[in-house]
Amino acid sequence: MNLYFCIFILCGLSHGVFGKDKRKKGRFSVPSLDVKGRHLILPANQTLTLNCRGRWELEWALPKAVPEESVERDESRCGRTGQHYCSRLTLGPALVQHTGSFRCRYRQRAGRQNGVYVYVTDSQQPFVRGLDGLEVLYMTVGQPLVVPCRVTHPAINVSLVKYGSMKHQRPDRKTLVWNSRQGFTVLRPNYFYTGLFYCQAVVDGVPRSSEQYLVHRPVHNIIEAYLNTTGPVRRLKGERLDLNCTAIGEFNTRVNFTWEYPGKNNSTSSERKRMVKNRTHLLFYSVLTLPKLQRADRGLYTCRVTSGTKAKARVKVNIIVYAFPPPQVIWLKDGMVAAERCSRYRVNDSSLVIRDVAEEDAGKYTVMVGNQEHGLYRNLTLTLVVNVRPQIGEKAVTSPDPAPVPHGSRQALHCTSHGVPSPDIQWQWHPCPADGL
């Protein structure tokens, strides 16, 4: 009997000692804050001070709206033997937009943390506003939708309002759930919850509204996708290529185009996109342009159309590029080989260069381009007009001093003029000087 009693006592003592050591070892497994409760209510424009103590080095995680320059941190070693780490966070003045979760955590063990939610309250500003004044929310049918109209005090009563609707929706825990730190959660949103919304609170008899929320329901339904050609495309080297990829989607659908083709990485291609709204659907266009085709551009061209992570479509076409040797070029002037007519004529590649253009250079010029191997020929005729400044023939042979003629005699004056285009001749009379008479 005594033996069993001794064993029971020893086991009890052993359990007590080890249990005490275990509790001591678990202390400060997460940092400790000097705040009682899970939230703290602080009037606006006052100073927020939080103290944190832990076993390892500490750091703070702050709400996004709190700028680093407005926060002071005081790090120190603490405890009876300095074996602990202490950190004091000071934020002042605290503003409404600073409302949020302040967390103290171990620097090397970020998962071990302790936090407090701070409401920076102001009777004139019951809502924590964003920076833009309008936030776009994306809704998926069948999944919860959060309207993030957070408030600055946990006791504020809030309703959800849709523009154009007189009904103010209040939380019922079946379809609409309220959380002062998150806002409204619509558990099973339907088409009613698309459009423009805001939250409203009545403070001291005065209605106050939150920022606006545009709820958009993305649609990922590609009805059809096709190219502007159904068979292989044949082009000559150096020609321009335009491929038009068209996608048809439901309203609210947004699509992305991705082109894959042989010379994509080193090509001078360009892409133009546009969207057209039809009566029953949306049309999306992507035009791929290659200004000058090369032999390396031949091959399979693929247009991938995607919308979200589900809807996909793919269309393909084969491009064939023919490469010909440089054609033979001959220039004719008035039916004769131009280069043989005058030394001032010179053919440079496919161009005819005329030096010191003169009147006799006017006429019809024909460029003959041919590829004898493939039997391809083409001619182009141009007309060159050389403008010539008008000249008076008599001026070149007449003395500058007028010859005397008998008084009362009849004289015939001649004017012979030449120019291109043909000049107009006008006669003017200027009296001779009196010579002092």
Side-chain angles (χ1 to χ4, degrees):
M1 182 71 178
N2 293 337
L3 177 62
Y4 292 125
F5 179 76
C6 291
I7 294 175
F8 175 77
I9 294 296
L10 288 174
C11 290
L13 290 175
S14 174
H15 175 76
V17 170
F18 288 122
K20 185 176 180 181
D21 288 343
K22 184 177 180 180
R23 288 195 301 272
K24 185 176 181 181
K25 183 178 180 180
R27 190 181 181 189
F28 293 117
S29 60
V30 296
S32 174
L33 288 174
D34 63 340
V35 178
K36 295 181 179 180
R38 295 185 177 181
H39 70 260
L40 177 66
I41 300 175
L42 180 71
N45 298 319
Q46 291 194 7
T47 300
L48 172 66
T49 303
L50 296 174
N51 291 289
C52 182
R53 182 174 178 178
R55 186 182 301 173
W56 299 289
E57 291 183 335
L58 303 168
E59 65 179 10
W60 293 88
L62 309 176
K64 292 182 179 179
V66 178
E68 287 292 333
E69 59 270 15
S70 64
V71 175
E72 294 183 4
R73 296 178 175 86
D74 184 16
E75 314 289 341
S76 63
R77 298 297 295 267
C78 54
R80 286 182 298 176
T81 59
Q83 76 276 21
H84 289 157
Y85 293 84
C86 286
S87 178
R88 172 175 294 178
L89 175 75
T90 304
L91 169 63
L95 305 177
V96 168
Q97 60 265 30
H98 297 161
T99 297
S101 178
F102 290 75
R103 291 168 292 153
C104 179
R105 62 193 183 189
Y106 288 127
R107 186 168 300 170
Q108 303 299 329
R109 299 170 174 84
R112 299 188 181 185
Q113 59 183 348
N114 197 355
V116 60
Y117 194 90
V118 178
Y119 295 92
V120 183
T121 184
D122 186 341
S123 60
Q124 303 299 316
Q125 301 182 59
F127 293 101
V128 183
R129 290 184 174 270
L131 298 178
D132 298 332
L134 176 65
E135 185 174 350
V136 179
L137 308 177
Y138 294 93
M139 183 194 79
T140 302
V141 176
Q143 296 184 8
L145 169 69
V146 177
V147 182
C149 50
R150 299 184 297 132
V151 292
T152 61
H153 195 285
I156 295 177
N157 293 321
V158 183
S159 59
L160 181 63
V161 186
K162 180 178 182 179
Y163 276 92
S165 174
M166 301 299 294
K167 183 180 179 181
H168 287 221
Q169 299 185 73
R170 298 190 180 277
D172 57 7
R173 294 188 176 275
K174 295 181 180 179
T175 59
L176 195 62
V177 177
W178 168 251
N179 186 314
S180 62
R181 303 182 184 185
Q182 296 179 351
F184 281 106
T185 300
V186 185
L187 298 179
R188 290 176 293 276
N190 52 29
Y191 291 101
F192 170 81
Y193 289 97
T194 59
L196 200 58
F197 288 81
Y198 66 94
C199 298
Q200 187 179 89
V202 179
V203 181
D204 297 331
V206 179
R208 304 284 184 179
S209 298
S210 70
E211 61 184 319
Q212 299 175 357
Y213 301 94
L214 178 61
V215 182
H216 172 68
R217 174 182 171 262
V219 178
H220 307 296
N221 188 9
I222 300 174
I223 301 174
E224 186 181 1
Y226 56 88
L227 291 171
N228 59 333
T229 180
T230 57
V233 177
R234 293 173 171 84
R235 291 289 188 272
L236 291 176
K237 178 183 176 182
E239 286 188 341
R240 174 190 176 101
L241 174 67
D242 290 301
L243 287 179
N244 185 359
C245 185
T246 303
I248 304 176
E250 290 186 1
F251 287 122
N252 287 339
T253 300
R254 293 296 181 268
V255 303
N256 292 318
F257 292 95
T258 304
W259 287 92
E260 297 294 337
Y261 50 96
K264 181 176 181 179
N265 295 331
N266 54 1
S267 175
T268 58
S269 62
S270 61
E271 182 183 1
R272 306 188 312 275
K273 298 179 183 178
R274 66 188 182 100
M275 181 187 73
V276 177
K277 184 177 180 181
N278 209 326
R279 187 174 59 87
T280 58
H281 52 263
L282 295 175
L283 291 172
F284 303 89
Y285 300 99
S286 173
V287 180
L288 176 68
T289 299
L290 278 72
K292 290 185 178 181
L293 283 172
Q294 305 298 322
R295 287 280 290 172
D297 295 323
R298 68 188 188 277
L300 192 64
Y301 284 63
T302 303
C303 175
R304 286 184 66 244
V305 186
T306 59
S307 180
T309 57
K310 298 180 180 179
K312 297 180 181 179
R314 179 177 297 184
V315 285
K316 303 177 181 180
V317 65
N318 193 34
I319 305 297
I320 302 172
V321 180
Y322 296 104
F324 291 97
Q328 182 183 8
V329 179
I330 300 176
W331 280 93
L332 303 178
K333 181 181 184 301
D334 298 330
M336 299 180 61
V337 179
E340 297 176 358
R341 292 198 56 177
C342 180
S343 61
R344 294 184 292 106
Y345 295 179
R346 179 172 57 87
V347 177
N348 184 9
D349 293 333
S350 60
S351 301
L352 176 65
V353 180
I354 303 176
R355 294 184 294 106
D356 302 327
V357 176
E359 182 178 358
E360 59 268 20
D361 297 325
K364 290 186 177 181
Y365 291 80
T366 301
V367 57
M368 302 174 60
V369 182
N371 189 308
Q372 186 176 2
E373 179 182 355
H374 296 277
L376 299 175
Y377 301 96
R378 178 168 292 183
N379 298 344
L380 178 63
T381 300
L382 307 171
T383 300
L384 175 63
V385 177
V386 180
N387 292 330
V388 180
R389 178 178 298 179
Q391 296 180 356
I392 299 175
E394 287 76 8
K395 188 176 181 179
V397 297
T398 303
S399 173
D401 297 328
V405 297
H407 183 268
S409 63
R410 183 184 182 90
Q411 297 293 324
L413 301 178
H414 299 276
C415 179
T416 305
S417 179
H418 174 71
V420 179
S422 299
D424 295 330
I425 300 176
Q426 294 181 354
W427 287 92
Q428 295 180 353
W429 176 72
H430 296 276
C432 293
D435 291 336
L437 298 179

